[in-house]
Amino acid sequence: MTDGIPAAPGTEGWFREGPDGFALLASRCTACGALSFPPRTVPGCPDPGCESLDQSPYPLSTTGTLWSYTDARYAPPPPYPRPPDTEFSPYALAAVELAAERMIVLGQVAPDVPAEVLQVGMIMELTPGTLLSSAGVEERVWNWRPAGPSEDSYPDVAAYDAYTGEAHA
């Protein structure tokens, strides 16, 4: 990454930051176009009807519709990576549907977004995030956050306004 924060272990090659911004990278079959995320680490198309072995990185959409979410208010059991002597912070996980790719991508919701503002059907956008390893080292991951209100894409403009401190008509 350009900011020097390394990818979390096991996620190397899953995202990139470049001139077009932060993007998740899928594997795309060069023969039929089938996508898989996370990217495949073995040769071969994810479509059982395709015999191609070739795939290339493919940047996914950076916005999608919140399909589902959960609010994690308890500390996961070990081996949850967390530096010793730090308090657990609740977090939310989002399942975001990327319409263009017809795929759902899971990810943590940005830590500054309270679960109370999340609503199924709202538009979410991809953003870089970090986790703190058990050794206290920042590691790059991706997060989802509300993209902003609109009549068609955000069911509860008042909740978004309360979260951002803005007022929308």
Side-chain angles (χ1 to χ4, degrees), residues 16-55:
R16 73 168 182 221
E17 190 158 10
D20 297 329
F22 188 79
L24 295 175
L25 298 174
S27 292
R28 183 174 189 197
C29 175
T30 57
C32 73
L35 295 171
S36 62
F37 182 81
R40 295 176 63 85
T41 57
V42 295
C45 179
D47 182 342
C50 179
E51 296 182 11
S52 175
L53 296 176
D54 297 325
Q55 50 193 338

Side-chain angles (χ1 to χ4, degrees), residues 2 8 13 18-19 25 30-31 33 38 42 46 51 63 65 71 73 84 100 114 120 122 142 155 164-165:
T2 57
L25 298 174
T30 57
V42 295
E51 296 182 11
T63 60
T65 304
D71 186 6
R73 296 211 166 259
V120 170
M122 70 191 303
W142 66 94
T164 62

Side-chain angles (χ1 to χ4, degrees), residues 69 79 123 142:
Y69 68 95
I123 301 301
W142 66 94

